[in-house]
Amino acid sequence: MLVHIKERWHVFFDDPVISSRMLTLLTLSFHIIYATIGVGVPLMIMIAQWVGIKKNDQHYILLARRWARGFVVTVAVGVVTGTAIALQLSLLWPNFMELAGNVIALPLFMEVFAFFFEAIFLGIYLYTWDRFEDQRKHLMLLIPVAIGAAMSAFFITTVNAFMNAPQGFEMVNGELVNVNPLAAMFNPATPTKIAHVISTAFMTSAFVLASIAAFRLVKGSNHDYHKKALFLTMKVGLVFSIATVIIGDFSGKYLAEYQPEKLAAAEWHFETEEHAPLILFGILNEEYETRYAIEIPSALSILAHGNPSREVIGLNEFPEEETPPLFIHYLFDLMVMIGMFMIGLSLFYWIGVKRNWSFIQTKPFRWLLVLGGPLSLLAIEAGWWMTEFGRQPWILRGIMTTSEAATTSDHVGIMFILFAGLYAILGIGTVVILTRMFRHHPVEKELAKQGGGAK
Amino acid sequence: MSLEIIGISVLWTFLFGYVIVASIDFGAGFFNAYSSFTGKKHILTKIIQRYLSPVWEITNVFLVFFFVGIVGFFPKTAFYYGTTLLVPVSIAIILLAIRGSYYAFETYGSKGHRGYAFMYGLSGLFLPASLSVVLTISEGGFITMVDGAPVLDYWALFTSPLTWSIVVLSVTAVLYISAVFLTWYANQAGDKHAANLLRKYALFWSLPTIITAGGIIYELRFHNEAHFEQLMNVGWMFGISFLLFIGTVWLIWKRRHYGIAFGLLVGQFAFAFYGYGISHYPYLLYPHLTIYDGFTNETMAISLIIAFLAGFLLLIPSLYLVLRLFLFDKDYVKGLSETKGGSQNE
């Protein structure tokens, strides 16, 4: 056992391909948490500010400010880890960037502009807090922040979509010719990917903020402020989780059409057949037989083509060295289950508020709401792992494999350790600072300082 | 003007922008830490925080802009520099991460922790050192091609006097640029104590800056003769740069027109920076990579330039707004707008 671990360790250190993949996985998995919050929270702040102005209710204005205050800390970590991944693209995948840079430099460049735009207005918003009497001016400053955040998600996701469905160029003797940057940006994977990324970011951020409000209520506060916060965030979360499911269905149809091997691996669908069943849960044994799974007849055909009798391409049609790893099935299940659960939870809560059910005010139910935020973040991670492992062995599907793209440098293993340490510090730091920040400034105190607050 | 020249000029300008804003930022962190260890914290911290808070995030974007741009315009740089720079650039990323996050953690979380201030100040000095290594490597002689892949000779890099001169220059220049800017900023704020202290720092760091800058030109003669000769062809630019330097120091010495002094300083570094850049032409990495063989396809170059212009139409008014609200707003600079009850900094 020990020898085995030691061997693995050596392979990890000696093979830059493996260690580059692991370091990229580590950086992105960490960055995605902050990036998701970075895209979604500005919208939530904007909504709270807007509701506050419309209802003339100080609670919502304060909500916007308190969220913004915590947001700065997550933005800081998001910015530095984003800088890390932007540089690591060239450091760990130099051959990929040399080739693909000819086609995707435009969206990368524009992403930086969007980020720049957001950074400027976020700075202005945070430091002009008490300069303007008119709350609408603060709302005007928030609009470019939210737009910039969504636009940077838009541009960077087109790059990822391009890696899944490369187009916009021709390969002639290993050289790229007839490059069309816009065709590369708006490839077949782009619409579903962008819609899915943005709606899940909104959904997740809403549920994360709902978690905080629910947590305060669980901990004994009974202030109107937290109840308003919870209702607002759950409502927004419900809207975007429904949107996510609809877009998820379109993503399935995209995969069936353009990346059938990813869909087949995620569904353990080996034989090409009509009336293809959807497989839920289960485990796969060494003979590629599924055990303990729930099969829903024809459901995969419906997911893939919207028609129960249509044929779905199976994994056996692809050469073995071009198929993705089969564990992505678990990630797919995890993502879908959490998504469904969140719709059910938020719908139940919403109806409960409308009908005055006392159940939604019980502790156990509120604990479920607290769980919603972390669960949504887990679904984000699972979804990204599924889509990224699902295009292995390619870095550019059909054109360049991951091992052709990696660096030849010998030092990636040690860099992995350094970055792992860094992310541990940043992760712990974020949690410590955020809890301390809000513990030292409870809402009740802040409202009292404002002169009692409205209502 | 060819697309290659436009591309590299745009990027060089962004790098210059980063050098100035990042120097102010790095130096400010150092002076802040230094002052808290010499018992002068009360004089400097307020003025420094007031400047840094709204802009720290913007500073970072300049750097990201530069390297995304260079890989965009010159994808082959990803191959040469990406492969060889793994270690120094990873260290720079980690230092940037520590700086950026701790700044936010400290400002918004727990205030005034000495350890944080110390790390923040120190990382600001290591950063220019680790980033300036790229300039040394671009002079050639440190990268060999093994089996078609570039390999960096760390030993040659660490033992080269050129490396260390560039490192020393980057650190002293950071402190000098920062001190001159902050002198002006403190004076604007009407903070006489801070302005006087920073004025002393500015004068102190001016001398090593100009000496090492001269020394590097001398060393290049032995390291890369071709480059040295081209440097001499644009010698007049360095001459102007030197005169502007004298102007800055004289104004600061006489305690007059700090704003103009900072303007002259920007001019001084602009002439030196562009003079250096022009003399480096046409190499991105001597002698492996020129701006011509590393350039992207024409379609991409044109779209990047269009995106760049469109982006700038968006950014210039926004940056102007930032300057008006924070740098040239008397109330903000003097700290008056905060007293109305800004609670975010508690």
Side-chain angles (χ1 to χ4, degrees), chain A residues 127-132, chain B residues 50 325-326 329-344:
Chain A
Y127 288 91
T128 53
W129 224 307
D130 295 297
R131 274 212 215 170
F132 312 121
Chain B
R50 210 174 299 141
L325 284 172
F326 300 115
D329 186 280
K330 281 264 152 64
D331 282 353
Y332 177 80
V333 173
K334 287 178 182 160
L336 291 179
S337 61
E338 266 171 52
T339 53
K340 283 190 224 158
S343 55
Q344 77 270 29

Side-chain angles (χ1 to χ4, degrees), chain B residues 199 203 248-256 258:
Chain B
R199 173 182 165 269
L203 291 173
T248 309
V249 174
W250 190 75
L251 285 178
I252 293 203
W253 181 261
K254 289 278 175 195
R255 297 171 197 268
R256 253 187 255 161
Y258 290 137

Side-chain angles (χ1 to χ4, degrees), chain B residues 259-334:
Chain B
I260 296 174
F262 181 68
L264 295 181
L265 171 126
V266 172
Q268 173 210 336
F269 277 90
F271 272 100
F273 197 78
Y274 282 93
Y276 175 83
I278 291 165
S279 65
H280 211 287
Y281 173 86
Y283 289 103
L284 287 168
L285 172 62
Y286 185 86
H288 300 290
L289 188 63
T290 68
I291 61 171
Y292 297 100
D293 49 47
F295 200 58
T296 187
N297 56 80
E298 203 181 315
T299 330
M300 181 53 84
I302 292 170
S303 9
L304 284 179
I305 289 169
I306 292 171
F308 179 78
L309 290 175
F312 247 58
L313 288 180
L314 199 68
L315 287 188
I316 287 177
S318 322
L319 279 172
Y320 175 73
L321 191 62
V322 169
L323 292 179
R324 264 210 37 198
L325 284 172
F326 300 115
L327 219 50
F328 300 120
D329 186 280
K330 281 264 152 64
D331 282 353
Y332 177 80
V333 173
K334 287 178 182 160

Side-chain angles (χ1 to χ4, degrees), chain B residues 178-304:
Chain B
S178 186
V180 173
F181 174 82
L182 290 170
T183 307
W184 172 47
Y185 193 75
N187 191 56
Q188 287 275 95
D191 190 337
K192 286 275 171 283
H193 288 296
N196 279 336
L197 187 60
L198 287 159
R199 173 182 165 269
K200 274 184 206 145
Y201 292 157
L203 291 173
F204 179 81
W205 288 107
S206 63
L207 201 63
T209 304
I210 203 73
I211 291 174
T212 38
I216 284 167
I217 297 178
Y218 175 75
E219 264 160 38
L220 260 186
R221 180 181 213 153
F222 305 104
H223 189 85
N224 184 339
E225 207 171 327
H227 190 185
F228 176 76
E229 270 167 31
Q230 295 213 52
L231 214 58
M232 288 299 107
N233 290 340
V234 287
W236 59 272
M237 293 182 81
F238 295 95
I240 293 179
S241 177
F242 183 72
L243 291 178
L244 293 171
F245 167 78
I246 299 287
T248 309
V249 174
W250 190 75
L251 285 178
I252 293 203
W253 181 261
K254 289 278 175 195
R255 297 171 197 268
R256 253 187 255 161
H257 308 298
Y258 290 137
I260 296 174
F262 181 68
L264 295 181
L265 171 126
V266 172
Q268 173 210 336
F269 277 90
F271 272 100
F273 197 78
Y274 282 93
Y276 175 83
I278 291 165
S279 65
H280 211 287
Y281 173 86
Y283 289 103
L284 287 168
L285 172 62
Y286 185 86
H288 300 290
L289 188 63
T290 68
I291 61 171
Y292 297 100
D293 49 47
F295 200 58
T296 187
N297 56 80
E298 203 181 315
T299 330
M300 181 53 84
I302 292 170
S303 9
L304 284 179

Side-chain angles (χ1 to χ4, degrees), chain B:
Chain B
M1 204 150 61
S2 69
L3 287 172
E4 287 89 344
I5 305 273
I6 296 178
I8 197 69
S9 309
V10 164
L11 294 173
W12 201 240
T13 303
F14 256 87
L15 191 58
F16 179 68
Y18 182 68
V19 165
I20 297 294
V21 292
S23 294
I24 295 172
D25 184 287
F26 295 158
F30 176 79
F31 291 131
N32 188 31
Y34 180 74
S35 69
S36 91
F37 280 87
T38 51
K40 290 170 185 153
K41 190 177 168 61
H42 55 285
I43 305 180
L44 289 189
T45 296
K46 262 196 182 152
I47 207 84
I48 286 175
Q49 295 253 331
R50 210 174 299 141
Y51 165 74
L52 281 184
S53 295
V55 299
W56 64 268
E57 210 188 348
I58 300 173
T59 307
N60 221 28
V61 190
F62 275 90
L63 176 66
V64 180
F65 213 113
F66 170 73
F67 67 72
V68 168
I70 196 156
V71 174
F73 277 105
F74 306 95
K76 277 205 169 67
T77 51
F79 175 66
Y80 285 97
Y81 282 113
T83 310
T84 49
L85 288 177
L86 179 72
V87 177
V89 174
S90 291
I91 292 172
I93 299 172
I94 290 173
L95 291 171
L96 273 176
I98 291 175
R99 267 180 82 74
S101 53
Y102 274 122
Y103 183 73
F105 287 0
E106 199 202 319
T107 314
Y108 305 99
S110 59
K111 274 213 114 173
H113 192 283
R114 258 196 174 194
Y116 288 173
F118 183 66
M119 294 236 308
Y120 190 72
L122 210 60
S123 63
L125 292 192
F126 283 125
L127 257 168
S130 65
L131 289 175
S132 64
V133 164
V134 182
L135 286 181
T136 323
I137 292 173
S138 77
E139 290 301 330
F142 302 106
I143 287 177
T144 43
M145 298 300 281
V146 180
D147 299 330
V151 174
L152 179 63
D153 184 347
Y154 284 96
W155 179 247
L157 187 65
F158 274 104
T159 51
S160 161
L162 183 68
T163 310
W164 293 106
S165 319
I166 291 182
V167 166
V168 173
L169 174 67
S170 65
V171 173
T172 50
V174 157
L175 295 173
Y176 175 58
I177 293 172
S178 186
V180 173
F181 174 82
L182 290 170
T183 307
W184 172 47
Y185 193 75
N187 191 56
Q188 287 275 95
D191 190 337
K192 286 275 171 283
H193 288 296
N196 279 336
L197 187 60
L198 287 159
R199 173 182 165 269
K200 274 184 206 145
Y201 292 157
L203 291 173
F204 179 81
W205 288 107
S206 63
L207 201 63
T209 304
I210 203 73
I211 291 174
T212 38
I216 284 167
I217 297 178
Y218 175 75
E219 264 160 38
L220 260 186
R221 180 181 213 153
F222 305 104
H223 189 85
N224 184 339
E225 207 171 327
H227 190 185
F228 176 76
E229 270 167 31
Q230 295 213 52
L231 214 58
M232 288 299 107
N233 290 340
V234 287
W236 59 272
M237 293 182 81
F238 295 95
I240 293 179
S241 177
F242 183 72
L243 291 178
L244 293 171
F245 167 78
I246 299 287
T248 309
V249 174
W250 190 75
L251 285 178
I252 293 203
W253 181 261
K254 289 278 175 195
R255 297 171 197 268
R256 253 187 255 161
H257 308 298
Y258 290 137
I260 296 174
F262 181 68
L264 295 181
L265 171 126
V266 172
Q268 173 210 336
F269 277 90
F271 272 100
F273 197 78
Y274 282 93
Y276 175 83
I278 291 165
S279 65
H280 211 287
Y281 173 86
Y283 289 103
L284 287 168
L285 172 62
Y286 185 86
H288 300 290
L289 188 63
T290 68
I291 61 171
Y292 297 100
D293 49 47
F295 200 58
T296 187
N297 56 80
E298 203 181 315
T299 330
M300 181 53 84
I302 292 170
S303 9
L304 284 179
I305 289 169
I306 292 171
F308 179 78
L309 290 175
F312 247 58
L313 288 180
L314 199 68
L315 287 188
I316 287 177
S318 322
L319 279 172
Y320 175 73
L321 191 62
V322 169
L323 292 179
R324 264 210 37 198
L325 284 172
F326 300 115
L327 219 50
F328 300 120
D329 186 280
K330 281 264 152 64
D331 282 353
Y332 177 80
V333 173
K334 287 178 182 160
L336 291 179
S337 61
E338 266 171 52
T339 53
K340 283 190 224 158
S343 55
Q344 77 270 29
N345 273 348
E346 279 172 23

Side-chain angles (χ1 to χ4, degrees), chain A residues 176-394:
Chain A
L176 289 177
V177 292
N178 288 336
V179 171
N180 180 346
L182 289 178
M185 275 173 75
F186 296 98
N187 59 68
T190 300
T192 45
K193 251 190 204 294
I194 286 174
H196 200 68
V197 162
I198 292 182
S199 80
T200 51
F202 289 161
M203 163 190 159
T204 305
S205 305
F207 286 136
V208 166
L209 296 172
S211 286
I212 299 171
F215 186 72
R216 296 309 314 159
L217 291 172
V218 166
K219 283 286 161 192
S221 169
N222 210 19
H223 204 285
D224 259 357
Y225 170 90
H226 297 302
K227 288 183 184 163
K228 286 175 188 168
L230 186 61
F231 186 61
L232 177 69
T233 48
M234 289 303 281
K235 209 161 64 177
V236 175
L238 174 64
V239 170
F240 284 108
S241 53
I242 291 172
T244 299
V245 169
I246 296 170
I247 297 158
D249 182 60
F250 284 124
S251 306
K253 291 176 175 48
Y254 155 77
L255 284 180
E257 180 83 25
Y258 293 94
Q259 272 180 296
E261 76 278 15
K262 192 191 266 185
L263 185 67
E267 276 304 317
W268 291 344
H269 179 65
F270 298 103
E271 300 292 336
T272 301
E273 58 186 353
E274 297 161 1
H275 294 285
L278 189 76
I279 293 175
L280 289 180
F281 312 115
I283 51 170
L284 198 67
N285 69 13
E286 280 166 15
E287 282 88 44
Y288 289 138
E289 288 161 351
T290 47
R291 290 288 174 86
Y292 317 113
I294 304 168
E295 270 192 31
I296 307 174
S298 304
L300 185 58
S301 290
I302 296 175
L303 175 69
H305 302 290
N307 178 346
S309 61
R310 277 283 292 275
E311 188 178 83
V312 180
I313 299 168
L315 209 52
N316 294 345
E317 309 287 323
F318 299 91
E320 202 171 331
E321 65 277 7
E322 289 182 15
T323 54
L326 291 169
F327 69 77
I328 63 171
H329 174 72
Y330 304 113
L331 300 170
F332 185 65
D333 275 354
L334 186 63
M335 170 184 86
V336 173
M337 284 307 123
I338 293 175
M340 293 298 177
F341 174 74
M342 290 315 296
I343 290 188
L345 185 70
S346 49
L347 193 63
F348 187 83
Y349 171 81
W350 185 70
I351 297 173
V353 171
K354 289 284 157 199
R355 306 230 158 155
N356 255 329
W357 291 346
S358 57
F359 181 71
I360 56 160
Q361 302 209 9
T362 58
K363 250 191 181 181
F365 184 75
R366 279 180 175 162
W367 270 118
L368 274 182
L369 298 179
V370 174
L371 209 61
L375 274 181
S376 305
L377 282 171
L378 183 64
I380 293 274
E381 296 281 2
W384 271 112
W385 291 331
M386 182 222 144
T387 189
E388 293 303 286
F389 280 110
R391 74 178 144 97
Q392 289 307 315
W394 304 109

